[in-house]
Amino acid sequence: MASKPQAAANQRFVEELASRLRRRQIVGSRATALETLLVLRQVVSKARFSNIEQLVEIIRSVGRRLVEAQPKEHSVGNTVRKVLHHIREEYHTATENAPSSSTRKFSIAQFVRQGQPRRNPVVVKSEGKPTLKENDPDDPDSFARGLKPVLMEAIQDVFDELETVYDNISKNAKDHIHSDEIILTLGMSKTVESFLKTASHHRNYTVIVAETAPSYGGRAMAQSLSAAGISTFLVPDSSIYALMSRVNKVILGAHAILANGGMFATTGSLLAATAAHSYSTPVVVCAGQFKVTPLWNLYHEYGALDFGDPSAVLGFDEGDLVNKVDVVNPYYDYVRPELVDAYITNYGDHPPSSIYRLIKESYDDEDIDL
Amino acid sequence: MTAKETFSPGDALRDVYTRGLVTGDFVLVHGDLVSNIRVDEVVRVHKERKKVDRDAIMTIVVKECGGGGRVVKECGGGGRTRSKGDSSVFVLDSETSECLHYESVIGYPPKTLTKIPREIFVEHPDVEIRNDLIDCGIDICSVEVPSLFQDNFDYLDLRRDFVHGVLTSDLLMKNIYCYVAKDGYAARVQDTKSYDAISKDILSRWAFPLVPDNNHPSGHIYEHRRGNKYIARDNSVVLARTSKIGNNSLVGSSTQVYENAQILSSVIGRNCVIGPHTVIENAYIFDNTKVGAGCLIEKSIIGAGVSVGNDTKIPKGCLIGDGVTLGPGLQLEPFERLSKKSERADDEDQVAAQARLGVDEGIIVWSRPNPTDEDSDEDDEEGVENSKNQRFLRIGDDAEDLHFSDPGSESSDGEEDSSDDDSDLNLGNLPTSSVTSLDTATIAVHSSELVAEKEFRHEVNLSLERAFAEGHSLENAAVELKTLRMASNVPIARVREAVIAAIVERIPIVEGGGIPQRKEIANVIGRWGPLIGRIGGFDAVETISELQAHCTTSSRFPLFGQILAALYQDDIVEEDDIRAWHRLPSSQGGGNEEMKKCWLIGGRMIEQFDEQESDDQDDNEDESE
């Protein structure tokens, strides 16, 4: 039995996604999250297990394999954690009639207890329903047969959530953007794009887009926004600070939101956030819940910013110069929590200081290390 | 699958063909390739092209290196990986990027000229001549490629033999295309120098996503630190507090670095020990090697399991084989190569070398090219095997004393375009090749080439004599000549010269001249004249020039005018061709009496043409009146 999770992690479709992640053929938080989910669905549908621990171990080993393949795409691990969380929940509702719904109610008395790592009483073997019998020696597959439809539904829920993430984030857009405001944004973030477009149905406002070198995602963003009829300015990155005094709000996308309330975001975000901080301009970050990552970046690890190919910054054509200088091209900036004023996710709006709560609600503590 | 009896890419492809392994188009790469270029796009382009042009058998992926055709002494970044000793000149059609001509350029002796067949300029109005392309060693090949190798059993190298052979052959009629990759990284680890350059590129992330902290082939995980330092992630590396790891370095797992040791731009393998106060700069040290205290290692490659004693100095360019024990207190000279003793018997040189360096017995000191002897054997070795050329491939050797310069192409587009103008004809010894100067110096015709040419001449004469005697058909004679040309690799002009000479000599001289002589000439030209046109690359103006040149040295000199007239009668040359030839300054002979006479004869003929024309006009006028 011990070799089984290993075998699951080595299945062909898992291997294929792992190598695509490693070769960076698939990039972007949402794309990787969707692909991960598809692989997990296949894994679960093919898995053979006779109790919940086996299933969890199979999924974790697949998750570990994928995360190792590309540790910089945090949404892979997040998706695995979320699926595990949902599976456990479904399992509890299936095995117990009334799961610990009482603990969900908020009261001061329970506040301290909720801060503690929540221990899921996983090994409660109360066979509430006769159809779901774990470790049945006569028919080892009966448990899997009974549980699988529910699990598929659970995965489908996560899938639906990913599909509708932009709409759910954007639905409150008009509460955040007011008429005649000047908004600054940068990079090409689908979330921010749909957020701004939704707001433009109700409000009349101006967007300043920074070019965001060296990827120049800002150009695509400006094109798309102006095509949607929003009054848009495209400015070079260097003028962000100069323009900040006129900006009412900075709206950014994120690559990953960390547990301390900080985030990894496209290069240039730190520049914009720091400039906004010095003018006390609010910084609002739009991101799906799947970007919330149980990571702290306490030691400001250098490599976490994911350094790419320097040719985008200083190409071969610069000739001799390239041999004499070390060129770095980080994909992301680490933006500290104190520079962010609010996160808008599909679960609602949160201050950076309460991101840890979001993590606790979305994932189980035992999955933080996959 | 590995094949033990293959020693060249050509052998390998022949092996692939005989085993019938490949049934569709395939991507051919070298085993030493490091690349992040997306091949799918290239394959798509290749497939599309194949639908249009069935003869497109191969697409070569090349990479632009910096400078875009300007002075490319040593290209930056990725250009570090362009080896000086072995680059190439590509002639591409600007529109279709078809590769029209390929010539490899070796570093020493410096190549100053490249010969480009004139036909290219006739057929393609727009060509690019580039020597700023890095050959990535990625080819998209059609099924035919292995079978072509099978047919041409002497092809060894994919570029120098195969590509050159296919492009210069006018029997195969196959096309090769290039795909110029604008971005991406590709380089081949061909020698110690490129090993060094590519390692540096990988460490400074040019080959992203092929970087040590991601995608390591054997699954090691490295932590990427500021300044492109990579330290194994499993917490097993011991770095002393006072040790210094410089930028662009990598330290493998379980390696220990002691106090005040410095590792600068170097790669250290796993389980190594670097002693205190040792300085390692631009060096590559493989697994399980122990370096003692106070050593200095520069620009060298140290194998696995080597033990270097205290206070040993290993200067630039040294290669130390696996398992060698050195020192303590040893001082090597630059570019020394040491390895562990195999079964080879000692000879006196070995003992002397061991004594010179003070290494233990049981270590082989490989002999090295002595720079002082090199002038004497300069001409012995041709091509890439030349020892000076080898120096371009050596780690740590900047070869400054060889004054390698690559000043780029001096010829402008204007010059290239004008090369099919008639003015180029006065390049006496290179009549059909336009010459693009890569440097101001000129190249001397090798004596060996002359010998080969003489032999070829003889062969052509024999073959023509047979044809004349046995009355072969024109087609057969032409094919025979073509094959001869292939076999001895001479330009088409030589063949034409030889054919004209043979035909002229064929004409019997009739005493007294007059009508019978003219009849003989008409007979011979009528029968064999079209052969001149059949051998390919026909150019009427050149034909006349060659006829003129031959007649001046032959006993058939007086017949020049009549032969010319016969050629004109048989429509082998046209009136305009004769006029064009007559206008050429070289046709006047430049002081040569006979040449001058021929020119005058030509002049008379043109006068006749003029008269005829005016007669015609007169006739017309008469008629109109």
Side-chain angles (χ1 to χ4, degrees):
Chain A
M1 272 296 166
S3 66
K4 223 173 119 181
Q6 215 54 49
N10 288 330
Q11 282 177 67
R12 203 175 49 79
F13 47 87
V14 180
E15 203 55 50
E16 193 208 15
L17 178 60
S19 59
R20 274 166 66 204
L21 282 170
R22 208 168 43 224
R23 291 188 214 128
R24 311 264 170 149
Q25 283 173 330
I26 165 168
V27 285
S29 316
R30 187 162 169 271
T32 46
L34 278 172
E35 293 284 336
T36 310
L37 205 54
L38 289 174
V39 163
L40 286 182
R41 185 153 74 178
Q42 263 179 300
V43 167
V44 171
S45 70
K46 287 193 178 153
R48 290 164 58 91
F49 53 92
S50 55
N51 58 37
I52 189 76
E53 284 87 3
Q54 284 177 6
L55 175 65
V56 166
E57 195 39 56
I58 287 170
I59 293 175
R60 282 176 79 143
S61 69
V62 170
R64 217 176 294 134
R65 178 87 187 70
L66 294 176
V67 169
E68 270 168 19
Q70 191 43 271
K72 311 267 164 68
E73 288 287 1
H74 303 285
S75 61
V76 173
N78 294 343
T79 310
V80 175
R81 287 182 194 106
K82 192 157 180 94
V83 167
L84 283 172
H85 176 72
H86 276 257
I87 284 174
R88 285 205 192 88
E89 240 172 28
E90 293 294 341
Y91 166 72
H92 287 308
T93 42
T95 49
E96 303 164 37
N97 285 330
S100 47
S101 57
S102 57
T103 55
R104 287 290 149 93
K105 275 183 200 149
F106 182 76
S107 78
I108 288 292
Q110 279 165 339
F111 187 77
V112 179
R113 244 185 65 201
Q114 279 195 336
Q116 300 287 327
R118 191 173 61 195
R119 304 234 173 270
N120 273 327
V122 177
V123 213
V124 183
K125 295 231 169 52
S126 57
E127 269 112 85
K129 286 179 184 172
T131 46
L132 269 183
K133 208 168 150 198
E134 283 188 64
N135 299 324
D136 191 339
D138 305 328
D139 186 4
D141 287 338
S142 73
F143 176 71
R145 241 192 345 262
L147 199 59
K148 261 186 189 169
V150 214
L151 295 180
M152 286 322 210
E153 243 169 65
I155 292 176
Q156 190 58 42
D157 285 348
V158 183
F159 201 78
D160 291 344
E161 192 188 315
L162 275 179
E163 295 276 90
T164 57
V165 68
Y166 296 146
D167 295 340
N168 283 328
I169 293 171
S170 313
K171 68 175 185 254
N172 294 325
K174 69 171 188 290
D175 301 336
H176 291 276
I177 297 174
H178 309 291
S179 284
D180 300 327
E181 272 194 329
I182 296 176
I183 308 287
L184 183 123
T185 186
L186 51 81
M188 181 64 209
S189 160
K190 282 262 183 206
T191 323
V192 175
E193 186 191 354
S194 80
F195 188 83
L196 292 173
K197 280 182 180 170
T198 314
S200 75
H201 298 319
H202 311 277
R203 308 270 190 245
N204 200 5
Y205 61 97
T206 304
V207 180
I208 297 174
V209 187
E211 275 185 315
T212 331
S215 66
Y216 296 108
R219 293 179 183 171
M221 178 72 124
Q223 203 116 49
S224 155
L225 291 180
S226 68
I230 303 172
S231 118
T232 310
F233 294 93
L234 181 66
V235 299
D237 297 341
S238 49
S239 52
I240 288 178
Y241 187 81
L243 289 167
M244 194 52 83
S245 58
R246 320 238 349 200
V247 170
N248 299 97
K249 198 167 282 165
V250 176
I251 297 185
L252 300 175
H255 174 67
I257 301 171
L258 307 182
N260 61 352
M263 65 160 181
F264 290 129
T266 327
T267 312
S269 301
L270 181 59
L271 172 72
T274 316
H277 192 68
S278 77
Y279 279 99
S280 297
T281 307
V283 175
V284 176
V285 175
C286 297
Q289 183 276 330
F290 61 91
K291 291 183 181 175
V292 177
T293 311
L295 251 181
W296 279 261
N297 197 32
L298 288 180
Y299 305 104
H300 297 271
E301 197 196 329
Y302 178 73
L305 300 183
D306 200 6
F307 288 82
D309 174 7
S311 64
V313 178
L314 193 67
F316 296 143
D317 2 342
E318 300 294 334
D320 273 351
L321 184 61
V322 180
N323 283 337
K324 292 174 190 134
V325 294
D326 283 330
V327 190
V328 290
N329 175 20
Y331 279 130
Y332 307 119
D333 271 346
Y334 171 61
V335 182
R336 296 188 304 278
E338 53 269 32
L339 297 177
V340 180
D341 292 283
Y343 285 101
I344 303 175
T345 72
N346 43 338
Y347 282 24
D349 310 342
H350 312 267
S353 51
S354 72
I355 291 295
Y356 83 100
R357 285 284 309 219
L358 203 57
I359 288 173
K360 223 162 249 312
E361 277 165 25
S362 318
Y363 312 127
D364 290 328
D365 287 339
E366 62 242 60
D367 297 330
I368 285 176
D369 278 326
L370 274 175
Chain B
M1 187 191 298
T2 50
K4 288 202 173 65
E5 274 137 44
T6 52
F7 296 100
S8 71
D11 287 341
L13 280 171
R14 279 186 278 280
D15 204 36
V16 164
Y17 178 76
T18 44
R19 287 167 196 251
L21 293 173
V22 176
T23 51
D25 289 10
F26 59 99
V27 181
L28 184 67
V29 295
H30 289 270
D32 52 8
L33 179 76
V34 177
S35 170
N36 63 1
I37 289 176
R38 295 286 294 264
V39 185
D40 47 0
E41 169 69 13
V42 191
V43 173
R44 196 184 56 76
V45 170
H46 176 80
K47 280 194 175 145
E48 257 168 37
R49 190 176 289 141
K50 190 112 204 234
K51 278 180 205 152
V52 186
D53 180 1
R54 290 206 60 79
D55 290 326
I57 52 162
M58 190 160 151
T59 303
I60 303 172
V61 181
V62 289
K63 168 96 185 68
E64 239 168 23
C65 84
R70 281 180 285 116
V71 177
V72 200
K73 192 162 189 180
E74 190 176 10
C75 312
R80 266 199 288 232
T81 53
R82 195 173 94 125
S83 75
K84 282 176 173 180
D86 190 13
S87 59
S88 24
V89 173
F90 286 91
V91 181
L92 305 179
D93 186 301
S94 314
E95 239 165 72
T96 61
S97 72
E98 180 182 348
C99 183
L100 306 169
H101 183 74
Y102 170 87
E103 204 160 313
S104 65
V105 177
I106 50 177
Y108 194 90
K111 194 162 188 164
T112 52
L113 288 175
T114 179
K115 296 178 187 176
I116 298 161
R118 168 174 299 175
E119 290 84 35
I120 286 173
F121 297 103
V122 177
E123 284 161 31
H124 303 271
D126 226 354
V127 296
E128 290 174 18
I129 302 172
R130 317 185 57 161
N131 70 339
D132 65 331
L133 296 174
I134 306 171
D135 189 349
C136 304
I138 309 172
D139 304 309
I140 319 296
C141 302
S142 298
V143 192
E144 294 99 315
V145 172
S147 72
L148 282 176
F149 267 96
Q150 185 68 21
D151 298 343
N152 298 280
F153 53 86
D154 56 337
Y155 284 177
L156 296 177
D157 188 87
L158 201 59
R159 289 285 180 271
R160 278 193 292 276
D161 298 325
F162 177 74
V163 171
H164 193 261
V166 168
L167 291 178
T168 50
S169 160
D170 37 24
L171 290 177
L172 288 171
M173 304 301 286
K174 299 287 183 199
N175 299 328
I176 292 176
Y177 287 83
C178 280
Y179 180 90
V180 182
K182 290 275 184 271
D183 43 26
Y185 180 88
R188 286 179 57 199
V189 188
Q190 289 167 302
D191 41 65
T192 50
K193 194 170 191 109
S194 57
Y195 175 85
D196 176 42
I198 291 169
S199 303
K200 291 260 152 53
D201 284 344
I202 289 177
L203 289 177
S204 48
R205 303 181 83 82
W206 287 98
F208 184 84
L210 291 169
V211 286
D213 56 325
N214 183 15
N215 261 326
H216 196 286
S218 46
H220 303 296
I221 301 173
Y222 289 91
E223 185 190 342
H224 179 212
R225 296 192 185 169
R226 192 174 294 268
N228 292 331
K229 296 165 199 165
Y230 301 89
I231 312 291
R233 210 176 208 144
D234 51 2
N235 278 329
S236 58
V237 178
V238 180
L239 300 178
R241 188 167 288 272
T242 51
S243 68
K244 183 185 173 192
I245 311 287
N247 285 358
N248 297 326
S249 300
L250 182 143
V251 178
S253 66
S254 307
T255 287
Q256 301 177 32
V257 180
Y258 285 92
E259 278 77 17
N260 292 314
Q262 294 189 35
I263 295 172
L264 310 169
S265 305
S266 301
V267 175
I268 313 289
R270 286 171 294 160
N271 297 316
C272 291
V273 176
I274 310 297
H277 297 280
T278 287
V279 177
I280 295 172
E281 206 175 340
N282 291 309
Y284 301 87
I285 296 182
F286 285 64
D287 297 351
N288 302 318
T289 289
K290 310 233 170 321
V291 179
C295 295
L296 174 68
I297 301 177
E298 280 181 309
K299 287 187 182 164
S300 297
I301 299 177
I302 316 279
V306 174
S307 168
V308 179
N310 294 350
D311 302 312
T312 299
K313 304 260 179 295
I314 302 180
K316 63 175 182 180
C318 286
L319 305 179
I320 312 292
D322 291 359
V324 170
T325 305
L326 293 176
L330 190 69
Q331 174 117 30
L332 291 183
E333 281 167 38
F335 307 111
E336 210 65 74
R337 295 175 294 173
L338 305 179
S339 76
K340 217 173 165 184
K341 190 173 176 177
S342 58
E343 287 79 45
R344 249 173 64 153
D346 311 44
D347 50 38
E348 279 175 25
D349 290 352
Q350 269 307 317
V351 176
Q354 282 164 3
R356 176 169 63 87
L357 290 170
V359 296
D360 294 343
E361 276 180 42
I363 291 176
I364 290 184
V365 180
W366 291 83
S367 65
R368 52 193 198 154
N370 196 339
T372 52
D373 297 350
E374 264 175 300
D375 297 329
S376 58
D377 56 39
E378 219 168 272
D379 295 323
D380 297 355
E381 292 171 293
E382 281 288 326
V384 282
E385 306 304 327
N386 186 307
S387 63
K388 281 195 179 173
N389 223 359
Q390 294 287 350
R391 291 193 51 195
F392 290 117
L393 314 178
R394 202 156 67 167
I395 185 172
D397 193 342
D398 42 18
E400 266 167 1
D401 53 327
L402 289 182
H403 299 298
F404 177 82
S405 73
D406 186 1
S409 177
E410 279 181 5
S411 59
S412 63
D413 286 339
E415 264 178 64
E416 281 147 23
D417 290 344
S418 72
S419 54
D420 48 358
D421 284 355
D422 302 331
S423 59
D424 259 334
L425 284 174
N426 52 11
L427 288 166
N429 54 344
L430 298 167
T432 56
S433 307
S434 63
V435 177
T436 306
S437 162
L438 285 180
D439 206 331
T440 42
T442 50
I443 198 164
V445 180
H446 280 279
S447 57
S448 59
E449 259 174 43
L450 286 177
V451 174
E453 233 177 84
K454 214 177 253 173
E455 255 171 44
F456 166 73
R457 257 250 153 92
H458 183 64
E459 285 286 328
V460 168
N461 284 339
L462 284 181
S463 127
L464 282 175
E465 260 168 44
R466 260 200 314 281
F468 293 146
E470 295 166 23
H472 289 174
S473 73
L474 281 177
E475 283 82 14
N476 289 348
V479 166
E480 196 166 336
L481 286 172
K482 253 187 204 173
T483 16
L484 261 178
R485 182 165 85 79
M486 298 293 140
S488 37
N489 190 23
V490 291
I492 202 147
R494 296 276 169 283
V495 189
R496 192 163 43 227
E497 250 176 59
V499 170
I500 291 170
I503 292 176
V504 171
E505 296 307 313
R506 175 82 184 144
I507 299 167
I509 298 180
V510 182
E511 290 297 326
I515 308 288
Q517 176 69 67
R518 203 167 289 172
K519 217 173 203 170
E520 286 294 341
I521 292 172
N523 263 345
V524 174
I525 299 290
R527 173 77 173 87
W528 295 105
L531 185 62
I532 303 172
R534 295 252 179 164
I535 51 177
F538 180 67
D539 186 326
V541 181
E542 276 176 31
T543 306
I544 304 173
S545 299
E546 275 153 18
L547 176 66
Q548 178 193 18
H550 179 74
C551 283
T552 51
T553 56
S554 156
S555 54
R556 270 115 180 125
F557 169 63
L559 304 183
F560 173 74
Q562 289 167 343
I563 296 172
L564 191 57
L567 286 174
Y568 174 69
Q569 293 294 335
D570 283 335
D571 288 336
I572 294 163
V573 297
E574 301 287 338
E575 181 186 330
D576 290 343
D577 299 326
I578 299 177
R579 283 177 195 278
W581 160 75
H582 194 255
R583 272 198 302 276
L584 288 182
S586 60
S587 312
Q588 299 190 17
N592 187 327
E593 269 304 301
E594 273 93 22
M595 291 285 265
K596 183 91 181 172
K597 270 182 198 161
C598 291
W599 185 71
L600 288 174
I601 295 170
R604 271 204 294 283
M605 219 162 149
I606 288 169
E607 274 164 31
Q608 279 173 20
F609 291 143
D610 290 342
E611 275 167 30
Q612 257 174 26
E613 225 159 81
S614 56
D615 285 352
D616 287 350
Q617 273 172 1
D618 290 346
D619 291 348
N620 289 346
E621 279 163 19
D622 293 344
E623 278 161 29
S624 61
E625 278 165 11

